[in-house]
């Protein structure tokens, strides 16, 4: 067993390693100048003199070593300086540089201390996997240990509260990109416009999101901050249903839901329009509950079909098709239950495509016969499961290994009924990823995987954690948990939420400029409505909430 002395020595080693890594890094200082006359300047840090070039037309970027207490720039006085940024924070004058550099160094030491503790925790877990006496009994007991379960649940609860706090603090009441579509004429009238509700949005049908928006408008004037907060509870409900349908509950399972509350998913978390993802997940999981968890009978088959159609009309028809394919694969024959569920899904597909000719916008398709498809496809999956991005070769190899491992798992467990719950969850996720890879890459394999897509992969993390415990034992689940701790370690800060908030607030201020200046040609790149002037006039007509504070 490890003694306190050994733990302390291990912590010091961690601290030394992280300190060296931080020490060799440099602090970024950006100086924005008023009409710079030169293209390069000399910067003195200690006794060393460096040449620094202008970038972005009017800015100097200086990299300061952690041992430095300040710097001097020749041929520049305070009147030429428009603004100063040290490690991303704006300061008012050169006199504050030394003080701000000291603050950054103190923060760095605190981060090194926290990382050293986190590394110690991970190291203790890894060592315990191999050195715990009577370990077989330990791992068996760990699966159903109530104390460990309540500790895991408490830790998860803290992350949920932190995520909720970040969302509440940084949600901004202003439409963003596709959300402006709701302000088109006739969409938010007192009488529900069914043509709008059932019409396509690009290649999607987002009935529930449009209904949600219409209801919110008639309750509070469409306060998007309220809608974003309600989205969080919608997402929470979907993950609660996911937990209920996972067959292999264990005391560690709550910990694997933590990545589902990281800022990796910030694009969906801070945009009210993205409730389409949450509705799709919620209805899909409910469909799996009736089709794969509950007893197989006509009533449950009908409910499975109905919620599969609800999932389709939340966003994409692929969700319903994927769920029915898994349902058919489970039954392996056409009986009354399969026919009932299939008929409902088929009718849903007919309803989905009934006005397909009215589709206004659709990207070019990239089919699986191209390597770009598979590169993007596996990038989405690997990013969602591990928060890691690889070059194309290792992306393809990793994707093949993941598929091979899952194929072996389902073949070896095919005679066990509860394995089909996992099968349905994985088929749902992977089919949705295929739709994204085909319809969103547009031939460019270098596109960064958008965070909004990761919601359809991220929920598989708890499934994999449960499968490790099912197939092997808790030690393999813990190894995966350690990988998640490392790969998602930087995804629970306030910084990204704050940056997003500033971005949206700036967009709101630009709307104010448009309204004040009556400039019909002014465009706001951050908002991207097709008809900005018309959208603002429509918002005034409807008395939309975000205009009340402008």
């Amino acid at each position: 067993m490890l003694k306190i002395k050994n733990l302390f020595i291990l912590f010091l080693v961690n601290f030394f390693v992280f300190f060296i890594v931080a020490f060799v890094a440099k602090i970024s200082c950006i100086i924005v100048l008023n009409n710079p006359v030169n293209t390069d300047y000399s910067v003195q840090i200690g006794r060393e003199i460096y040449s620094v070039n202008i970038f972005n037309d009017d800015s100097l970027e200086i990299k300061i070593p952690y041992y430095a207490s300040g710097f001097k720039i020749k041929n520049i006085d305070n009147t030429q300086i428009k603004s100063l940024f040290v490690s991303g924070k704006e300061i008012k004058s050169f006199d504050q540089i030394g003080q701000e550099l000291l603050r950054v160094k103190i923060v760095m030491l605190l981060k090194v201390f926290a990382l050293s503790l986190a590394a110690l925790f991970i190291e203790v877990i890894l060592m315990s996997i191999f050195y715990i006496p009577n370990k077989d009994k330990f791992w068996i007991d760990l699966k159903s240990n109530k104390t460990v379960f309540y500790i895991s649940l408490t830790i998860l609860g803290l992350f949920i509260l932190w995520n909720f706090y970040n969302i509440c603090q940084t949600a901004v009441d202003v439409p963003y990109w596709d959300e402006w579509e709701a302000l088109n004429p006739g969409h938010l009238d007192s009488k529900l416009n069914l043509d709008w509700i059932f019409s396509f949005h690009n290649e999607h049908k987002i009935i529930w999101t449009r209904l949600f928006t219409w209801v919110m408008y008639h309750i509070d004037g469409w306060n998007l901050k309220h809608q974003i907060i309600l989205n969080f509870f919608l997402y929470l409900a979907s993950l609660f249903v996911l937990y209920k349908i996972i067959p292999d509950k264990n005391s560690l399972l709550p910990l694997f839901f933590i990545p589902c509350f990281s800022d990796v998913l910030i694009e969906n978390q801070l945009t009210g329009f993205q409730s389409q993802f949450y509705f799709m997940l919620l209805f899909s999981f409910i469909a799996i509950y009736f089709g794969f968890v509950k007893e197989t009978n006509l009533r449950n088959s009908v409910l499975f079909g109905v919620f599969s159609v609800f999932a389709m009309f939340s966003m994409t028809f692929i969700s319903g098709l994927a769920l029915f394919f898994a349902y058919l694969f489970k039954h392996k024959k056409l009986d009354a239950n399969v026919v009932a569920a299939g008929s409902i899904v088929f009718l849903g597909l007919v309803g989905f495509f009934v006005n397909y000719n009215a589709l206004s916008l659709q990207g070019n398709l990239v089919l699986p016969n191209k390597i770009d498809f598979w590169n993007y496809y596996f990038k989405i999956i690997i990013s969602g499961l591990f928060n890691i991005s690889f070059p194309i070769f290792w992306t393809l190899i990793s994707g093949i290994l993941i598929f091979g491992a899952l194929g072996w798992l389902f073949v070896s467990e095919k005679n066990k009924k509860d394995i089909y719950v996992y099968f349905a969850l994985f088929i749902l996720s992977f089919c949705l990823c295929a739709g994204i890879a085909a319809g969103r890459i547009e031939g460019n394999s270098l596109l960064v995987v958008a965070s909004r897509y990761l919601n359809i992969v991220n929920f598989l993390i708890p499934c994999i954690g449960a499968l490790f415990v099912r197939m092997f034992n808790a030690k393999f689940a813990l190894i995966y948990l350690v990988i998640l701790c490392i790969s998602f370690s930087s995804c629970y800060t306030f910084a990204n939420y704050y940056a997003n908030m500033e971005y949206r607030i700036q967009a709101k201020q630009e709307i104010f400029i448009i309204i004040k200046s009556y400039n019909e040609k002014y465009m706001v790149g951050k908002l991207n409505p097709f008809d900005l002037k018309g959208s603002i006039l429509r918002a005034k007509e409807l008395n939309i909430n975000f205009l009340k504070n402008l």
Side-chain angles (χ1 to χ4, degrees):
M1 295 293 290
L2 287 172
K3 297 180 180 179
I4 299 296
K5 178 182 177 182
N6 296 332
L7 292 175
F8 182 71
I9 293 173
L10 192 56
F11 171 78
L12 288 180
V13 171
N14 292 337
F15 187 87
F16 178 76
V17 171
F18 284 116
F19 181 82
I20 293 299
V21 172
F23 187 79
V24 298
K26 294 184 178 181
I27 303 169
S28 175
C29 300
I30 295 177
I31 303 170
V32 183
L33 303 175
N34 287 313
N35 301 317
V37 294
N38 299 327
T39 57
D40 59 88
Y41 293 84
S42 296
V43 179
Q44 183 174 349
I45 303 173
R47 296 181 179 179
E48 300 290 334
I49 296 178
Y50 305 89
S51 179
V52 181
N53 297 323
I54 291 283
F55 76 104
N56 288 341
D57 297 330
D58 60 356
S59 302
L60 291 172
E61 184 175 22
I62 303 167
K63 298 292 186 179
I64 308 295
Y66 266 97
Y67 61 78
S69 58
F71 59 88
K72 295 180 181 179
I73 304 178
K74 295 183 179 180
N75 304 324
I76 287 183
D77 57 40
N78 285 331
T79 60
Q80 295 175 271
I81 298 172
K82 186 176 181 181
S83 53
L84 285 167
F85 296 88
V86 176
S87 191
K89 182 180 178 181
E90 186 173 8
I91 59 176
K92 295 181 179 179
S93 68
F94 259 101
D95 299 333
Q96 294 180 326
I97 288 178
Q99 180 182 349
E100 187 59 25
L101 286 174
L102 179 61
R103 186 194 68 83
V104 171
K105 293 171 187 177
I106 293 172
V107 170
M108 180 270 289
L109 286 174
L110 291 174
K111 287 181 179 179
V112 167
F113 185 84
L115 285 171
S116 302
L117 283 177
L120 180 65
F121 172 73
I122 293 171
E123 288 157 355
V124 168
I125 288 177
L126 290 174
M127 286 188 289
S128 67
I129 290 173
F130 301 102
Y131 296 111
I132 288 178
N134 197 16
K135 56 185 177 182
D136 291 338
K137 184 177 183 303
F138 173 84
W139 295 118
I140 292 171
D141 291 344
L142 187 60
K143 292 181 183 181
S144 57
N145 189 302
K146 288 187 176 180
T147 302
V148 174
F149 172 76
Y150 289 126
I151 292 173
S152 300
L153 198 60
T154 301
I155 294 172
L156 172 62
L158 293 173
F159 278 92
I160 292 174
L161 290 174
W162 173 243
N163 191 207
F164 183 59
Y165 171 81
N166 288 341
I167 290 171
C168 290
Q169 291 296 309
T170 58
V172 177
D173 179 25
V174 60
Y176 181 70
W177 281 68
D178 292 3
E179 287 176 322
W180 286 89
E181 179 262 356
L183 295 175
N184 287 346
H187 287 185
L188 291 178
D189 291 341
S190 57
K191 184 179 179 181
L192 190 61
N193 185 340
L194 293 180
D195 288 338
W196 169 57
I197 294 295
F198 285 93
S199 65
F200 278 91
H201 180 84
N202 297 338
E203 67 271 34
H204 302 306
K205 285 205 169 179
I206 53 173
I207 288 177
W208 308 110
T209 293
R210 284 174 169 168
L211 280 171
F212 189 20
T213 301
W214 185 84
V215 169
M216 291 300 296
Y217 167 68
H218 288 280
I219 290 175
D220 63 7
W222 194 28
N223 186 323
L224 271 159
K225 184 168 184 177
H226 295 164
Q227 187 170 1
I228 289 167
I229 291 171
L230 288 175
N231 280 356
F232 177 82
F233 290 99
L234 187 63
Y235 181 47
L236 206 59
S238 71
L239 293 181
F240 176 76
V241 177
L242 175 63
Y243 178 82
K244 294 291 290 184
I245 66 177
I246 290 178
D248 300 287
K249 308 282 194 305
N250 60 76
S251 57
L252 294 172
L253 187 56
L255 296 176
F256 290 93
F257 280 86
I258 291 175
C260 297
F261 298 95
S262 69
D263 64 18
V264 167
L265 308 172
I266 190 172
E267 194 171 353
N268 289 348
Q269 291 179 346
L270 292 179
T271 308
F273 178 81
Q274 297 303 94
S275 60
Q276 56 187 296
F277 281 90
Y278 302 149
F279 279 118
M280 182 176 65
L281 292 180
L282 176 61
F283 290 134
S284 296
F285 297 157
I286 294 174
I288 291 171
Y289 173 74
F290 285 111
F292 296 84
V293 178
K294 295 285 285 183
E295 177 188 0
T296 300
N297 55 39
L298 188 59
R299 172 182 172 274
N300 289 334
S301 298
V302 169
L303 288 172
F304 164 77
V306 168
F307 282 104
S308 296
V309 172
F310 283 0
M312 285 197 296
F313 281 91
S314 299
M315 187 174 172
T316 174
F317 71 95
I318 294 174
S319 56
L321 279 184
L323 291 170
F324 181 69
F325 171 78
Y327 189 76
L328 185 61
F329 190 81
K330 172 192 173 186
H331 286 265
K332 298 182 177 64
K333 61 179 180 179
L334 286 175
D335 55 18
N337 297 312
V338 173
V339 170
S343 299
I344 294 170
V345 171
F346 175 76
L347 289 174
L349 279 171
V350 172
F352 190 96
F353 287 103
V354 70
N355 57 342
Y356 186 78
N357 289 334
L359 190 62
S360 59
L361 182 64
Q362 184 178 19
N364 297 323
L365 292 178
V366 178
L367 300 179
N369 62 338
K370 295 186 177 180
I371 196 70
D372 284 348
F373 171 90
W374 293 105
N375 180 35
Y376 198 67
Y377 179 64
F378 288 136
K379 273 186 183 298
I380 300 170
I381 294 172
I382 294 167
S383 297
L385 296 180
F386 301 98
N387 195 34
I388 297 171
S389 181
F390 294 129
I392 181 170
F393 175 79
W394 291 110
T395 296
L396 298 175
I397 293 297
S398 301
I400 292 169
L401 290 174
I402 290 171
F403 270 44
L406 290 172
W408 167 82
L409 166 68
F410 291 125
V411 168
S412 62
E413 296 278 300
K414 63 181 179 180
N415 295 324
K416 298 178 181 178
K417 290 184 179 180
D418 61 353
I419 197 64
Y420 290 100
V421 175
Y422 293 112
F423 183 77
L425 290 166
F426 278 92
I427 286 295
L428 171 68
S429 177
F430 291 165
C431 286
L432 290 171
C433 288
I436 292 166
R440 283 292 183 265
I441 179 176
E442 296 184 346
N444 188 350
S445 61
L446 299 178
L447 283 175
V448 177
V449 174
S451 67
R452 63 184 180 275
Y453 303 149
L454 300 184
N455 254 126
I456 63 172
V457 184
N458 207 234
F459 74 82
L460 292 180
I461 291 175
C463 301
I464 293 175
L467 280 171
F468 274 130
V469 175
R470 174 194 181 105
M471 298 300 297
F472 307 104
N473 55 42
K475 71 169 69 174
F476 288 91
L478 276 175
I479 291 173
Y480 182 44
L481 185 61
V482 168
I483 294 172
L484 295 175
C485 288
I486 295 171
S487 60
F488 282 87
S489 59
S490 61
C491 300
Y492 304 99
T493 67
F494 185 73
N496 284 342
Y497 291 93
Y498 183 79
N500 187 284
M501 178 184 69
E502 286 190 320
Y503 187 77
R504 303 284 176 94
I505 288 174
Q506 186 179 351
K508 198 170 183 178
Q509 291 169 343
E510 291 182 7
I511 295 175
F512 179 72
I513 294 171
I514 296 171
I515 295 172
K516 292 276 287 185
S517 65
Y518 298 100
N519 188 342
E520 298 179 10
K521 297 181 179 180
Y522 197 97
M523 293 299 295
V524 182
K526 299 177 179 63
L527 300 177
N528 198 42
F530 295 104
D531 177 13
L532 186 57
K533 179 191 173 186
S535 297
I536 291 175
L537 290 175
R538 175 67 174 165
K540 286 181 177 180
E541 177 187 334
L542 294 171
N543 196 25
I544 298 296
N545 192 80
F546 78 91
L547 291 177
K548 296 176 183 178
N549 299 320
L550 289 178

